């Protein structure tokens, strides 16, 4: 909900935009709860390009007006002859303030708002621009959310089909099916990585939503081992091999977003590693603590940059321009760790090598500590 009260009544700048409270009336709680429902979205989409006064599916008055050349949608109102009085009364509480207006009273207030827009032109234009920008941003976020939803559905179908194909090929017993079986497993691995990347983008777009994830026991070793296998092809392309030492049969109470940690850390290690050097993933249990270490021979940051690499958008100045990235991998890893009481620490090895471009490489070590593991 926006805090800008540019108009008297609750309003939207577009059919898919956010709702702002009005100076005289705030949005009813019922509308706040329903504004993202399919019923509401479909209703407002039908108002695209239209002007007039309407009754929404829940009985409230909705008016599409033109003020200073811009269409404004007033919502959640109660106007005699348009609203359904019984539905409005049923869906409002004592905390809601929804004045019941006749059409003449509404027209008077509408005229007042139009005059205000003209008399306060500079202020109006400035606030209007801010609101339009926010509305456009919200619209883009909703578009991305819908796109991710559809991609997940399609990827789910892809994974199900490939799993079925892999099972048939593995059970066929024919030698000539070996190459087909490998190909199907490679496709399955790619589909799994698509799922992980989509979840990562979700976390970037809306990190606060992750705080609401329910916590449950997660097998940390299995999650890292699975991602290491999925990234095997990517590792080979970067001239490295992921080698795993140690083991762990414990679980850790955490949210589902911890499943992204192995991908973020191993993908980061593979991306910046020096060709021909192995990447190491190690596990060590001590009492009720599990230590997981990811070590790669990667581009060496300047010493004073090390801790700042955990901040959003920060990349070492030593990173080549051809290394695509936004400085989000380690930032998201730290965010996930902080949200789940996991310690994360960065350190560098002493041995240094320089490539033919003069770029320094050394051991880059990420250490995670899970306190309170469940045996």
């Amino acid at each position: 909900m926006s805090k800008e009260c540019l108009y008297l009544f609750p309003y939207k700048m577009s059919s898919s935009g956010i709702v702002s409270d009005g100076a005289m009336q705030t949005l009813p709680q019922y509308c706040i709860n329903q504004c993202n429902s399919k019923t509401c979205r479909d209703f407002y989409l039908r108002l695209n390009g239209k002007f007039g006064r309407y009754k929404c599916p829940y009985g409230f008055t909705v008016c599409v007006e033109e003020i200073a050349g811009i269409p404004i949608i007033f919502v959640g109102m109660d106007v005699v002859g348009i609203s359904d009085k019984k539905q409005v009364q049923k869906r409002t509480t004592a905390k809601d303030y929804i004045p019941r207006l006749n059409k003449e009273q509404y027209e008077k207030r509408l005229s007042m708002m139009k005059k205000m827009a003209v008399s306060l032109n500079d202020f109006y234009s400035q606030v209007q621009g801010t609101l339009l920008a926010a509305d456009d941003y919200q619209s883009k976020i909703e578009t991305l959310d819908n796109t991710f939803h559809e991609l997940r559905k399609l990827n789910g179908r892809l994974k199900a089909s490939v799993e079925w194909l892999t099972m048939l090929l593995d059970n066929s017993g024919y030698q000539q099916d070996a190459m087909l079986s490998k190909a199907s497993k490679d496709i399955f691995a790619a589909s799994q990585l698509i799922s992980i990347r989509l979840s990562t983008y979700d976390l970037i777009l809306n990190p606060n939503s992750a705080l609401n994830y329910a916590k449950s026991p997660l097998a940390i070793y299995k999650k890292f081992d699975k991602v290491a296998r999925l990234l095997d092809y990517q590792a080979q392309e970067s001239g490295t091999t992921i080698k795993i030492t140690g083991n762990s049969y414990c679980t850790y109470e955490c949210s589902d977003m911890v499943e992204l940690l192995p991908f973020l850390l191993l993908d980061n290690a593979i991306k910046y590693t020096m060709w021909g050097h192995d990447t190491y993933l190690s596990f060590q249990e001590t009492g009720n603590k599990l230590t997981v270490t990811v070590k790669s021979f990667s581009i060496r940051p300047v010493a004073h940059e090390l801790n700042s690499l955990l901040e959003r958008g920060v990349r070492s100045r030593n990173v080549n321009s051809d290394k695509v990235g936004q400085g989000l991998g380690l930032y998201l890893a730290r965010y996930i760790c902080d949200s789940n009481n996991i310690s994360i620490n960065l350190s560098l090895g002493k041995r240094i090598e320089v490539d033919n471009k003069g770029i320094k490489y050394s051991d880059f070590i990420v250490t995670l500590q899970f306190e309170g593991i469940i045996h």
Side-chain angles (χ1 to χ4, degrees):
M1 299 292 293
S2 171
K3 295 182 179 179
E4 292 288 359
C5 297
L6 190 58
Y7 299 103
L8 295 177
F9 307 109
Y11 62 96
K12 294 158 66 80
M13 307 298 291
S14 68
S15 60
S16 61
I18 55 178
V19 183
S20 299
D21 286 326
M24 184 179 80
Q25 179 196 328
T26 58
L27 191 68
Q29 185 60 47
Y30 187 86
C31 293
I32 293 174
N33 297 337
Q34 297 296 324
C35 64
N36 290 320
S37 67
K38 185 178 186 301
T39 300
C40 275
R41 291 200 306 269
D42 289 348
F43 169 74
Y44 286 109
L45 284 173
R46 289 196 294 271
L47 298 184
N48 272 339
K50 297 180 180 179
F51 291 92
R53 286 93 190 257
Y54 308 89
K55 181 175 67 177
C56 85
Y58 300 110
F60 294 94
T61 295
V62 172
C63 300
V64 186
E65 309 286 0
E66 183 177 326
I67 298 182
I70 296 175
I72 306 296
I73 306 173
F74 295 115
V75 305
M77 298 186 298
D78 185 7
V79 179
V80 177
I82 303 174
S83 305
D84 185 316
K85 183 178 179 181
K86 290 183 178 180
Q87 286 193 56
V88 170
Q89 289 177 342
K90 179 182 176 182
R91 289 173 171 138
T92 54
T93 67
K95 293 182 179 180
D96 294 318
Y97 172 67
I98 307 178
R100 184 165 175 77
L101 307 172
N102 58 41
K103 291 182 180 179
E104 183 181 348
Q105 290 170 322
Y106 171 72
E107 289 289 353
K108 184 178 179 180
R109 285 160 177 76
L110 176 62
S111 176
M112 184 190 307
M113 288 187 287
K114 289 183 176 182
K115 289 178 180 177
M116 182 180 68
V118 173
S119 62
L120 300 175
N121 183 61
D122 291 341
F123 169 79
Y124 178 86
S125 298
Q126 182 179 355
V127 176
Q128 189 82 311
T130 301
L131 292 173
L132 284 169
D135 194 76
D136 182 57
Y137 173 78
Q138 180 66 21
S139 179
K140 289 177 180 177
I141 290 297
E142 289 180 359
T143 300
L144 284 172
D145 285 344
N146 292 335
T147 302
F148 288 163
H149 177 69
E150 292 302 318
L151 283 174
R152 282 196 186 89
K153 286 172 59 179
L154 292 171
N155 195 51
R157 287 174 56 188
L158 173 63
K159 286 198 291 185
S161 298
V162 174
E163 280 186 289
W164 179 72
L165 175 61
T166 301
M167 181 186 68
L168 289 178
L169 291 171
D170 285 349
N171 293 335
S172 67
Y174 292 104
Q175 184 65 35
Q176 59 263 40
D177 288 335
M179 292 298 290
L180 284 175
S181 179
K182 181 181 182 306
S184 69
K185 288 175 182 176
D186 286 343
I187 296 171
F188 180 71
S191 69
Q192 291 278 60
L193 288 174
I194 291 173
S195 294
I196 295 173
R197 285 191 182 276
L198 287 171
S199 296
T200 304
Y201 295 147
D202 267 351
L203 192 59
I204 294 171
L205 289 172
N206 191 15
N208 290 329
S209 66
L211 296 174
N212 299 321
Y213 290 177
K215 294 189 175 183
S216 59
L218 196 72
I220 302 300
Y221 176 87
K222 287 184 178 180
K223 295 301 178 182
F224 271 91
D225 180 65
K226 176 183 177 181
V227 172
R229 295 176 190 277
L230 293 175
L231 289 174
D232 181 61
Y233 184 76
Q234 182 177 324
Q236 290 181 30
E237 285 189 324
S238 296
T240 187
T241 301
I242 301 174
K243 294 188 174 180
I244 302 176
T245 59
N247 206 329
S248 174
Y249 300 98
C250 72
T251 59
Y252 183 73
E253 193 82 9
C254 57
S255 66
D256 289 342
M257 62 175 161
V258 172
E259 294 191 25
L260 300 179
L261 261 182
F263 171 76
L264 291 168
L265 297 180
L266 289 173
D267 180 65
N268 207 62
I270 291 169
K271 184 189 298 182
Y272 297 111
T273 194
M274 190 177 196
W275 185 275
H277 289 262
D278 293 330
T279 298
Y280 296 93
L281 176 60
S282 65
F283 298 82
Q284 183 178 7
E285 288 186 21
T286 307
N288 70 339
K289 181 171 69 176
L290 169 65
T291 302
V292 179
T293 305
V294 179
K295 183 172 74 171
S296 58
F297 202 74
S298 299
I299 296 174
R300 184 182 179 89
V302 180
H304 67 78
E305 293 179 326
L306 192 60
N307 290 329
S308 64
L309 295 179
L310 294 170
E311 298 174 8
R312 187 182 182 108
V314 175
R315 303 179 80 198
S316 171
R317 67 186 187 189
N318 291 337
V319 172
N320 293 347
S321 58
D322 61 344
K323 299 287 185 183
V324 179
Q326 296 175 290
L328 293 174
L330 290 176
Y331 160 75
L332 288 174
R334 188 192 69 172
Y335 177 85
I336 293 170
C337 288
D338 289 348
S339 300
N340 290 275
N341 298 315
I342 302 166
S343 168
I344 181 169
N345 181 65
L346 307 182
S347 59
L348 301 174
K350 293 183 179 180
R351 184 171 65 90
I352 297 175
E353 289 186 25
V354 181
D355 69 6
N356 55 11
K357 295 181 181 179
I359 297 174
K360 294 180 179 179
Y361 287 77
S362 68
D363 283 329
F364 187 93
I365 306 161
V366 182
T367 305
L368 304 176
Q369 290 190 344
F370 299 80
E371 297 272 2
I373 57 175
I374 305 169
H375 291 281

